[in-house]
Amino acid sequence: MTRTNALNTGRDDFLSWATEERGVALPTRLTDAVLTMLALRGADRRAGVPKPTPGLLRQVLHEDLPQLLCAGDDELDALPGVLGTLADRVRAAGRLNAKRHARLLAAVEDAVPGFRRAMADPANLTWHRWYASLLTADGVDPDDPAAVGAWLDAHENTPHADRPALPEPLHRSDLAEQTFAVRSRLDEALLAAFARDTREASPAGPLLPTPPLDDRRPDDALSSELERIADALTDRWTAAGLAEAFAARHAALAPAPETMPHVALADRMLDEHLDYYGDSSVPLPPPPAVPSPDEIRDLLHAAPLPAALAAGTFDDELRDVAERCGLPGPATAVWADGTPQELLELAADVLAAQAERLPLVTGPQEAYSFDAAHLLYSLYERGSTPDSVARKIADAKSDGLPPELEDAPTPVSRNAPDAYELPSPEELSQLLGMPAVTDADRAELDAPAHGLASLVDQLASTGCVFRTGDTYGLTPLGAAVMRHVLTAGHVAAPDQETVAEWNAAETVAATRHWPTRLAAATLAAWAAHRGGTDEVWGELLDAVSGAKADEADAARTSEYFARLDVAAIPDTVLRAALTDPVTGAAARGLLLARGESVPEDTVPLTARATVLVEELDQRWIDDMLGHVKRRYDAGETGTPAAADIPPTTLLPAFDTAAAAWPGGAAALADALAEADPGTSLRILDTLRAHHPDRTVAGAAAHAKKTAQRASSGRRR
C-alpha cells in the first residue's frame, strides 16, 4: 500500500470550495471525521464528497463520532455549518434535488441535539477521548505529537491521587471495554470499505489506498495497513501520538480489557444475574457494610495473597495469577500509590485471577457443580450475609432446601478449628431443616463440603472471603470488591445511600427479589427515613397495589405482605387499605393473622379474587410437583401438559371458594380471569379439563378465553 493516511473523501477540495464559494472556513478535523465516517459507512461519493442521507447522518452523529472524536465547544458549534455546507456541495454537484436537499437540512437540524447529548455522555468515552480532553484542557496542542508525548510523561509521573478522576459512574474497565469495542468497529468499517473498493470501485475512485499486491503474505499486509490507518484516524480525531504511546511507553495509562482480570469476572457476574433474573436492571441488595476509602489500602495490603504477589514471594503455581494482575510489575505503582478506586480494582483483579484458576466443586456422579464465580455471586445476591458450607452443598442437590432456609443467615463461630469439619448431626438438622440427619446423609455431604471449604479457603487468601468453621461469607473488602465487579458488568448493585433515596415504587419493586428479612429491613428503614407515618407506609401499600395492577409477573400479594408484616407495618395502615381493589384482601389476611376481626364484606370482590388466584395457583403448583414426583418414581419420561395434571388439591379448594362466592363457580371463574389473566390461565385450563360439573368446566373454558385476550393485550 502507498504509505498515506489520506482517504479519498474529497476533504481538501471540499474545504477549498467552502472557502471560495461560501466564504466559510470549516474546521478541518471535524470536517475530516464527518466525511471519513460517512464514506466508511458507504455513502455515495460521486459528488466528489460523501453524500449524506438522514439514516447515515444519525448513525455517524449518534454512534460513530461521539466515540471517535474529541471536540471542543467551537467544533460542536460548527457542526451544523459543516453539514449544511456539505449538503450544498452535493446539491451543487447535481446529486441532490431541492426536495431532498430540504429534507437533508431538516435531518441535520433533528440530529444535532442528539449528537451534542452523545458527545457529553460519559458512556461514550474511550481512553483516547479521555486523555485528549485532559491534555487539551491543559492547553496542549493535540496536533503536536511532541507536546502530547511530554504531557503523557508528566501525567505518568503525577501521583495517582492528584490525577483527574473519571466521570461518575465510570470505572477504568468501562473505558477499557469501550476503547476495544470502538476500535473493533472502526477496523470492521475499514475492512468493509476495502471490500467495497475491491468488489466495485466508485467512479470517484477507491476510498482506501491501493493494497500491496506483490506482498508474499497479502492478508497480513492488509491487516497491518488497516491497523495503521485506524491508528492514524484515531490520532487525528483525538490527539497525535496517542495510539503509539498506549501501545508501548504509556500502556499503563490505558489498559486493555485483557490486562484487567476482573473484566472477565464482571462478564460472568452479568451471566449469573441474567440466569437468576433475566434482566440486568433488577437490583441486588446492598451489602450491610463496606470499608471506607481510607481503609481499602490497609485491608488489601493485609491480605495474604495480594501481599505475596506484591513482594514476589509466591509459588510457581501462582505465577500466572501474578502476571495477570501485574504484581510485581505494572501494578506495583498502584499497590504503593494507588487511589482507593484503583486499589479496589487491583483487589478485584487478584480475586478474579484466583477465582479463575480454582477447580469446580462437584457432587457425586457430577450430579451438580459450581465454581468460584457462582459462589461469589450467590454470596452477594443474598445480601452479603454469611452462608453454610454444608447447606450450600445440600441446596445444590436435586431435592434442595426448604425455601425459608435458602437465604437464612448462618451464625459465625468464634472458636472453630482451622481445618474444616462437617457440623454435627444436630447442627445439620437445624441448618438443613431436616428432623433427623443420618450417617448416610452426612457421608453424602462430607466430600463435596470439604471440596467447597477448600475452595473458600483459597478465595479467603485474597482478603475478600472468610471461613470460620462451616460458615463462610464476604468480608467488608470482598463486599466492596464484588459491588465494583458487578457494576463493571453493568449489573444493578446500588449502595445503601442510593437505596435510601428510592421512591416507594422502586423500593417495592426491588425488595420483592430480596431475602425476606433484608427486604423487610429495607422497607422499615425506608418508612422510618421518611418519618414512619401512616401516610408514608400507605405509599408502600399503594406501590404494591400498583405493581400488581400493572405488571403481569409481579410477586404474589402474600409475598409483599409477608415482608411488610416483618417490617411491622402498622395496623392502622392495613385497615385503611381494606377497600383497595387489589390489596384489600391481603391487608385483611394480615389483620386476621394479627388477631383482629375484620368482616369479609369490607373487602372488594376484586381484591378477594386477587388473593384467590394466588392461593389456587399454589394448589396447582402443589399438584404439579406431586404429579411430577409420581411420574419420576414410576420411571415415566416427558413433560406433562398443564391440563394433564390431576387437580388433587386444586378442585376442592376451588369448590370451597365457589360455594362462598357471590354468583357461584361461573362468577368466580370470570373474577379470576379478570383479577390476574396470566396466572389464572393454567387454573382455568385445569378446571376446563377436569371439573366433573360440565357447567363449571364450560364456565372455566369461557373465562380462559377472556384471560387469554387480556394477557395478549397486556403483552402488547
Side-chain angles (χ1 to χ4, degrees):
M1 276 188 179
T2 304
R3 303 289 291 182
T4 175
N5 296 330
L7 273 63
N8 185 13
T9 63
R11 181 196 68 183
D12 294 341
D13 288 343
F14 172 61
L15 291 172
S16 297
W17 181 88
T19 301
E20 296 167 3
E21 299 294 328
R22 291 293 186 267
V24 294
L26 300 177
T28 301
R29 186 171 63 155
L30 175 64
T31 302
D32 178 62
V34 168
L35 296 179
T36 300
M37 289 314 303
L38 283 171
L40 288 177
R41 293 304 181 191
D44 188 325
R45 291 182 291 114
R46 284 177 291 180
V49 288
K51 174 186 173 182
T53 64
L56 283 176
L57 275 179
R58 284 191 295 272
Q59 183 177 27
V60 169
L61 296 185
H62 295 171
E63 300 174 22
D64 296 330
L65 296 190
Q67 300 174 343
L68 290 164
L69 175 67
C70 181
D73 290 339
D74 54 342
E75 290 175 303
L76 295 180
D77 293 340
L79 179 68
V82 171
L83 295 174
T85 305
L86 178 59
D88 292 347
R89 180 69 184 91
V90 176
R91 173 143 171 75
R95 306 301 304 176
L96 202 62
N97 62 29
K99 184 176 181 180
R100 290 184 177 177
H101 180 260
R103 186 181 303 160
L104 183 56
L105 293 178
V108 169
E109 186 176 351
D110 288 342
V112 166
F115 168 73
R116 285 184 171 276
R117 288 192 296 271
M119 289 294 292
D121 187 348
N124 285 320
L125 277 180
T126 63
W127 286 126
H128 302 79
R129 286 194 64 215
W130 170 242
Y131 285 111
S133 69
L134 294 181
L135 63 89
T136 302
D138 284 347
V140 176
D141 180 1
D143 296 324
D144 182 348
V148 170
W151 184 92
L152 290 173
D153 289 341
H155 186 78
E156 185 107 60
N157 292 323
T158 299
H160 288 238
D162 295 335
R163 297 176 183 178
L166 291 173
E168 293 287 349
L170 292 183
H171 301 145
R172 295 198 313 156
S173 58
D174 295 314
L175 267 67
E177 291 190 290
Q178 181 73 343
T179 301
F180 176 81
V182 169
R183 180 52 180 262
S184 296
R185 289 195 293 272
L186 180 58
D187 290 344
E188 291 171 1
L190 285 166
L191 185 59
F194 170 77
R196 284 195 302 272
D197 282 348
T198 304
R199 186 173 57 249
E200 49 180 340
S202 166
L207 176 63
L208 302 182
T210 306
L213 297 177
D214 60 343
D215 196 286
R216 286 178 297 177
R217 302 181 67 181
D219 288 347
D220 291 344
L222 174 64
S223 177
S224 297
E225 197 63 17
L226 294 181
E227 286 286 322
R228 188 186 66 81
I229 293 174
D231 284 346
L233 293 176
T234 301
D235 277 8
R236 279 215 306 267
W237 300 339
T238 55
L242 287 184
E244 181 180 356
F246 292 160
R249 180 180 177 87
H250 295 296
L253 291 180
E258 62 269 18
T259 68
M260 307 174 78
H262 77 272
V263 170
L265 183 60
D267 289 341
R268 177 60 191 281
M269 291 301 103
L270 176 61
D271 290 341
E272 288 279 342
H273 195 66
L274 292 177
D275 284 344
Y276 271 69
Y277 301 109
D279 184 349
S280 64
S281 67
V282 173
L284 293 173
V290 294
S292 69
D294 293 339
E295 296 173 312
I296 297 292
R297 182 186 309 277
D298 289 343
L299 291 173
L300 179 61
H301 284 193
L305 178 56
L309 296 178
T313 56
F314 49 82
D315 298 332
D316 283 345
E317 65 178 13
L318 291 174
R319 191 162 303 281
D320 183 59
V321 174
E323 290 175 355
R324 290 191 29 79
C325 296
L327 284 175
T332 299
V334 172
W335 176 266
D337 186 38
T339 65
Q341 181 70 17
E342 290 173 330
L343 290 164
L344 197 62
E345 290 178 359
L346 181 57
D349 282 340
V350 174
L351 176 64
Q354 176 75 329
E356 191 176 87
R357 61 180 286 271
L358 298 180
L360 294 171
V361 174
T362 59
Q365 289 80 51
E366 297 187 350
Y368 57 85
S369 66
F370 48 85
D371 59 10
H374 167 77
L375 196 73
L376 292 167
Y377 175 85
S378 63
L379 283 172
Y380 195 95
E381 191 262 346
R382 57 186 274 117
S384 302
T385 54
D387 201 357
S388 154
V389 170
R391 191 167 61 194
K392 180 68 176 177
I393 295 297
D395 191 30
K397 295 164 56 181
S398 59
D399 45 353
L401 289 172
E404 64 273 11
L405 290 179
E406 290 178 357
D407 297 312
T410 305
V412 179
S413 172
R414 298 291 182 186
N415 303 309
D418 291 339
Y420 180 75
E421 296 179 3
L422 200 64
S424 68
E426 295 75 21
E427 291 171 319
L428 281 177
S429 180
Q430 289 187 335
L431 285 169
L432 308 183
M434 298 173 60
V437 175
T438 66
D439 290 341
D441 295 329
R442 295 187 85 244
E444 186 178 356
L445 290 173
D446 191 60
H450 275 84
L452 176 55
S454 174
L455 185 151
V456 168
D457 289 346
Q458 293 180 81
L459 288 175
S461 68
T462 68
C464 294
V465 176
F466 74 90
R467 182 184 67 79
T468 303
D470 183 62
T471 301
Y472 71 101
L474 294 174
T475 64
L477 175 64
V481 165
M482 282 303 299
R483 182 173 177 271
H484 170 81
V485 172
L486 286 158
T487 55
H490 306 290
V491 173
D495 56 20
Q496 294 277 7
E497 292 75 16
T498 299
V499 170
E501 296 305 316
W502 281 342
N503 62 34
E506 291 170 325
T507 304
V508 165
T511 55
R512 62 175 270 206
H513 300 289
W514 298 357
T516 296
R517 59 186 182 77
L518 288 178
T522 302
L523 293 168
W526 187 91
H529 183 61
R530 288 157 180 79
T533 64
D534 287 358
E535 182 180 1
V536 168
W537 283 102
E539 290 182 36
L540 290 175
L541 282 189
D542 289 343
V544 171
S545 180
K548 287 294 298 181
D550 296 339
E551 186 180 348
D553 296 327
R556 300 181 188 275
T557 54
S558 59
E559 295 173 10
Y560 286 122
F561 276 77
R563 288 157 170 75
L564 290 166
D565 185 25
V566 177
I569 184 172
D571 290 353
T572 52
V573 181
L574 294 173
R575 284 193 290 271
L578 291 172
T579 57
D580 187 279
V582 176
T583 59
R588 174 177 180 265
L590 186 48
L591 286 170
L592 292 175
R594 292 180 175 183
E596 291 213 18
S597 177
V598 185
E600 190 173 48
D601 59 9
T602 60
V603 175
L605 284 176
T606 54
R608 293 168 56 188
T610 297
V611 168
L612 275 173
V613 168
E614 296 171 355
E615 292 176 352
L616 294 174
D617 189 60
Q618 185 58 53
R619 300 289 78 73
W620 185 94
I621 292 172
D622 294 342
D623 291 339
M624 179 271 293
L625 293 175
H627 182 60
V628 168
K629 187 177 187 307
R630 288 190 296 271
R631 285 170 57 89
Y632 177 81
D633 292 342
E636 298 181 33
T637 59
T639 303
D644 296 336
I645 298 171
T648 307
T649 64
L650 173 60
L651 273 186
F654 175 83
D655 287 342
T656 299
W661 193 265
L668 177 57
D670 289 339
L672 298 177
E674 181 179 352
D676 192 338
T679 305
S680 67
L681 274 174
R682 58 192 185 190
I683 300 170
L684 296 169
D685 196 33
T686 301
L687 295 173
R688 175 198 60 78
H690 293 281
H691 203 288
D693 186 332
R694 301 322 297 164
T695 301
V696 176
H702 179 270
K704 178 189 170 185
K705 293 179 181 178
T706 301
Q708 286 174 322
R709 288 193 295 270
S711 293
S712 176
R714 236 183 221 195
R715 284 194 296 272
R716 287 197 296 269

